[in-house]
Amino acid sequence: MDKKTGAIAFRFTDQQVNHVAQIWSVGWDEQQSSLYNWSGTERKDQEKYIFQYTLSGHGEINIDGKIHQVKAGHAFIVSSPSNYHYYLPKDSEKWEFIYLTLYGNEAKRCWNFVKNSGNQFVRFHPESTPIKLVKKIYDDAKEKKITNAYEGSSIAYNFIMELYVYLSNSDKLMEDWSEGVISAALFARNYYQDEIGAEEMADASQLSKYHFTRTFKKETGITPIQYLTNIRLQKSIELLQHTKYTVDEIAQLVGYKNANYLNKVTRKLMGKSPGEIRQGK
């Protein structure tokens, strides 16, 4: 399975927009060594605000003396420098996560809101807007689509606003999904482009396939395959409408073997062919 890991740093020099809100870095990482650790009191980067979300495995973070196990679906928000320490504990085989580091006055204001409301350690639904957005920022950064300070500032500000909305309404937005279902959902969303199915999702959940299928359907309302298909369909529509990839290329980019298979899926679920979706019919 191809790894998506990587890190992109931004060093825009336009102070006028950087002063409001700006991206410092975004990345996708997987750590497997207990040597991995970061101390918030020793970091050299000043007035930076870090959002880190666990995709699989788990890590730990000590915030002001309180230890949190950061499992799949959980995020922490910290400022640098401050009294925190995160690391891969000895009982964890790996820690896969995505992160976004921001700075600027609006990022600082959001951090104060997070700190005062006690939301430094939060569980995020995998379908929530902030998580989708940070993944899009990472994808856009890897494809070099964020090219100037104005774009970076706009993206940073948008993420901050979505974070406000989520944290202000988290009790209303949070679905009552178990940790296993959350892990499987994250796995499907992160690796939909690979040859995966219900069995691989069950492995990610660490439940037996039978128990996993029943639990997933009970908690989400759909089967694991339906969930995976919806992700692939959503991505296919996006690629059809906004790129010039051929239908066969798009099929392979979303985890299908060829254009014929994608055609069957779109006709069954939408009543349209990929070509009709591309033409807006």
Side-chain angles (χ1 to χ4, degrees):
M1 187 176 295
D2 293 336
K3 291 297 180 185
K4 297 183 175 182
T5 55
I8 303 94
F10 300 90
R11 300 297 182 265
F12 297 123
T13 58
D14 193 319
Q15 294 304 316
Q16 183 176 353
V17 292
N18 291 354
H19 187 67
V20 178
Q22 191 55 269
I23 303 174
W24 181 256
S25 64
V26 63
W28 188 315
D29 200 358
E30 181 178 313
Q31 293 292 332
Q32 299 180 354
S33 170
S34 58
L35 297 176
Y36 174 76
N37 71 84
W38 284 94
S39 171
T41 58
E42 297 176 1
R43 297 185 77 139
K44 296 180 180 179
D45 43 348
Q46 301 290 308
E47 295 191 331
K48 303 300 186 297
Y49 306 94
I50 304 162
F51 177 91
Q52 185 163 307
Y53 180 73
T54 298
L55 300 168
S56 66
H58 75 271
E60 284 185 355
I61 184 167
N62 184 322
I63 302 176
D64 294 329
K66 183 175 182 180
I67 296 176
H68 304 271
Q69 190 174 75
V70 196
K71 298 180 180 179
H74 289 91
F76 60 78
I77 307 168
V78 293
S79 69
S80 180
S82 62
N83 187 24
Y84 67 84
H85 175 213
Y86 58 89
Y87 50 90
L88 183 75
K90 292 182 179 180
D91 65 341
S92 177
E93 294 182 358
K94 72 169 185 176
W95 189 10
E96 183 183 15
F97 52 85
I98 194 165
Y99 63 88
L100 178 66
T101 306
L102 305 177
Y103 63 102
N105 286 343
E106 290 303 325
K108 183 177 182 179
R109 186 176 288 112
C110 183
W111 159 250
N112 288 331
F113 170 80
V114 166
K115 181 78 171 176
N116 293 333
S117 59
N119 282 320
Q120 281 189 259
F121 182 76
V122 183
R123 178 177 172 180
F124 281 79
H125 193 282
E127 303 300 326
S128 65
T129 300
I131 302 308
K132 289 182 178 180
L133 186 55
V134 74
K135 286 183 178 180
K136 186 177 187 306
I137 295 169
Y138 176 72
D139 289 340
D140 286 349
K142 282 200 75 174
E143 295 174 16
K144 299 182 179 179
K145 292 181 178 179
I146 306 172
T147 60
N148 60 67
Y150 296 95
E151 290 175 339
S153 182
S154 176
I155 291 167
Y157 187 82
N158 186 25
F159 178 79
I160 290 166
M161 292 302 107
E162 292 296 345
L163 194 57
Y164 273 130
V165 171
Y166 187 89
L167 294 177
S168 297
N169 299 280
S170 58
D171 290 340
K172 298 176 183 177
L173 294 174
M174 183 61 62
E175 297 286 346
D176 189 22
W177 290 11
S178 63
E179 296 292 343
V181 170
I182 288 282
S183 295
L186 283 168
F187 178 81
R189 184 158 291 282
N190 297 334
Y191 295 104
Y192 64 86
Q193 72 276 21
D194 296 325
E195 293 184 13
I196 64 169
E199 185 171 343
E200 287 77 16
M201 290 174 68
D203 289 342
S205 75
Q206 297 186 338
L207 300 171
S208 69
K209 186 175 180 181
Y210 175 71
H211 182 58
F212 164 69
T213 302
R214 292 184 61 194
T215 302
F216 194 96
K217 176 70 180 292
K218 180 180 178 181
E219 295 185 11
T220 68
I222 58 177
T223 67
I225 290 300
Q226 287 173 323
Y227 183 85
L228 178 60
T229 299
N230 288 344
I231 293 172
R232 286 170 166 163
L233 179 62
Q234 183 181 36
K235 189 63 178 179
S236 298
I237 294 170
E238 179 184 331
L239 292 171
L240 286 165
Q241 293 178 338
H242 301 291
T243 75
K244 294 183 179 180
Y245 289 125
T246 67
V247 175
D248 196 60
E249 287 172 333
I250 290 173
Q252 294 179 47
L253 285 170
V254 302
Y256 292 132
K257 293 182 179 179
N258 52 53
N260 288 335
Y261 202 97
L262 176 60
N263 182 58
K264 290 179 182 179
V265 172
T266 60
R267 285 189 179 278
K268 179 179 179 180
L269 297 180
M270 298 186 67
K272 299 179 180 180
S273 70
E276 289 171 330
I277 294 172
R278 169 160 276 168
Q279 294 170 19
K281 293 183 178 180

